[in-house]
Each structure stands twice: as structure tokens, then as C-alpha cells.
Amino acid sequence: MAPATSKQNPGNHFEDFRLGQVLRHATPRTLGAGDQALYTALYGSRFAPQSSDIFARAIGLPRAPLDDLLVFHVVFGKTVPDISLNAVANLGYAAGRFGAPVYPGDTLSAESEVIGLKENSNGKTGVVYVRTKGVNQDGAMVADYIRWVMVRKKDPAAPPPPPVVPDLPEAVGAEQLIVPEGLDLSAFDFAAAGSPHCWDDYAAGERIDHGDAMTIEEAEHHTATRLYQNTARVHFNQHAEGQGRFGRRIVYGGHIISLARALSFNGLGNAVKLLAINAGTHAAPSFAGDTIYAWSEVLAKLPVEGRADLGVLRLRSVAAKDQPCDGFPYKNADGKYDPAVVLDLDYSVLVPR
């Protein structure tokens, strides 16, 4: 018998990363209408521009674009084999922007740069900070963001790199937000969109309980993560995860983001376009069987210079498991998250005026 060889990708461990390292991720992915249909089946998203070619054309787009978060997840999934295959947890996001709309037939690819490294005090793990950029077949940016992830060390005795933690902005500046070319909401059809509320109807500090809820099924979160070609073992391998700290597979955090976004339609139905992910924290893990509720707070209202047809809302959406959000669960008096909270997402959206 021939000797065994190893051609598998073991993934990078913490000591494999270097500051300034650039990672070109496999595999380019051409997205089609079927991807959007499956995304809708998984989350039930009802935002009008992504649902109807006719609606999209009426607001100046050539056809219905793919959901912004579908784009984000596909770009994110490209990075997993190189960045987080050996991760303990994805910790957070910052400085995320959405660029050119993505349409069926577009091909996405991604590249990341390591911008920070810091070993944890236990010497067994470290935090890796990366800036990822996703582009279409023409090289136009479709999504870019910073994320940080806790990654295992292969050799706990390996010397740590000098600690570098990047300075992260609190939010994406208004001047950095990208309004799609040709978008015109001056004749926005509120009845067809399913919500009567425009930008002027919201107030900073307002809180909205989205009321609805959705239970996570094992097959659904597996299907979603496969759709994004996210190969992280913690989402799939029960044989291995049964021996881990939770005893079961963890739901991909992006699945919770998409659930919260879909649930937010009830109260934010005209928040038709994501512009930025300012910050995000997965406050606790989620598992199949959890029921997700959500609420949102309007953090700020931003006019868009030279535009009378649309404005920006900066929102905080909070997702909680197995707890209705009419009480707006968030942080306790000690500043720690309520045990029910699984997601704290700060993002910016376009709303008609």
C-alpha cells in the first residue's frame, strides 16, 4: 500500500497569520435567481426591490437586485477556509459597506488583508483582525468590512506576534455611504412595498418591537451555510461538536443576522437597501430549536446631501432567543448582555422620504 499523503486544507491557525498578509480566497461564485429564491425560502424576506423586477425598475434599477445580506454571506463564506476554519468564535464586525448592487449572473470573489493580531492570555488562542473586500466580475466593490475572529493555536508554545489591534471607527461616515447609481425613490409605491412609513415618520431614540418570530430548524441553518459555501466545522460536524463545549452544532451568526433583518420588515418595511454594517456582536451562540425575536432602535437620522427622495436611518437591531422583544431586552445594569440576546447589530439603511 502506498504511503498516506495529506493534500487537505487544514486551515490557518493563529501562528500562521502575519500582519499585512493578503489572502486571495477561492472560489469565484456566480449567483443566480435561484440563490435569491432559496434565500427568500430560508428567511421569508419581503423587501420589495429584492422581490420584484417591476418594483425595482420603478425606482431606477435595471431589475431586482440580490439581497444585500446574501451578498455579504457569500463574500464572508469565501473567507472561511483561510481565516476561520480553526476558529473558536467570530467576534464582531466594523466598517462594513455595501457597494455596487449584485444582480443574477454576477460573479463574486473576495480578498482579505490581516490588519491586527493579538494572542489571548490563555496562550491557546488569538484574535485575528481582517479587512475583506468582495468584488464582482468587473472589479467593482460589492461589500467590504472588517471582522475579528478568535482562532486556535496549533502549537501553544509558538511565540506570539507583537500585539496590534486596529483602531475601529464607531460607524461608517455619511460621506462613505454608497447610494446605487440611478436609484430614485421619488415615486416610491408605499402600498406595493407593504408599509406606509417614510424617513420622516421615524425619530431618533424610537424603539420598534418587530413582533414576529422564527424558529431555527437544523436543516435550514445547514442549508443556509452551505448556500454561502461556508465550511466552518462548528456548523456541520455533530460527530466532532458533540464532544465540544456545547455538545452540538452552532448556528452560523450570519443566519441570525438574516433572520433579524427579515423580522424587521414588520416596522421597517421600507428600509429597502443596506448601506453599512457599522458594528456587530454575536452576544451568545444560537442552536437549532431556538426561536428568534427582534427589536430595533433608531440611533440616528441622516439626510443625504442633494437628495429629497431618500434618507438614511442608522439602526440597532437586537435579536433574542426564546424571548419576545416587547420588553426590549438588551444589556443589564452591569453592562452585560441579557442572557436571551444573541445579536447586537448596528447598521445603516436607505428609506424613502
Side-chain angles (χ1 to χ4, degrees), residues 13-80:
H13 290 81
F14 179 72
E15 59 264 43
D16 296 322
F17 292 98
R18 298 290 181 269
L19 196 67
Q21 181 180 7
V22 175
L23 301 162
R24 184 184 178 195
H25 306 298
T27 306
R29 173 100 147 80
T30 301
L31 294 171
D35 293 285
Q36 180 64 33
L38 183 51
Y39 185 89
T40 303
L42 288 164
Y43 306 109
S45 182
R46 293 178 282 161
F47 295 97
Q50 294 78 21
S51 300
S52 166
D53 285 341
I54 294 172
F55 193 100
R57 285 195 288 268
I59 60 173
L61 301 178
R63 62 180 300 188
L66 301 183
D67 193 283
D68 296 306
L69 286 176
L70 171 59
V71 173
F72 174 80
H73 297 322
V74 168
V75 171
F76 184 103
K78 303 279 143 253
T79 73
V80 170

Side-chain angles (χ1 to χ4, degrees), residues 7 21 23 36 62 99 113 144 154 156 158 166 173 315 318:
K7 292 184 171 64
Q21 181 180 7
L23 301 162
Q36 180 64 33
E113 179 185 0
D144 63 10
K154 185 175 183 179
L315 304 169
V318 176

Side-chain angles (χ1 to χ4, degrees), residues 206-224:
E206 179 180 359
R207 290 183 168 189
I208 304 164
D209 171 22
H210 299 302
D212 303 325
M214 198 173 296
T215 300
I216 302 169
E217 305 294 349
E218 202 79 81
E220 289 175 340
H221 85 86
H222 272 214
T223 299

Side-chain angles (χ1 to χ4, degrees), residues 167-196:
D167 185 20
L168 302 175
E170 179 184 346
V172 177
E175 72 284 356
Q176 297 177 294
L177 300 175
I178 300 171
V179 177
E181 185 177 352
L183 186 69
D184 183 355
L185 303 187
S186 58
F188 192 86
D189 188 339
F190 289 88
S195 172

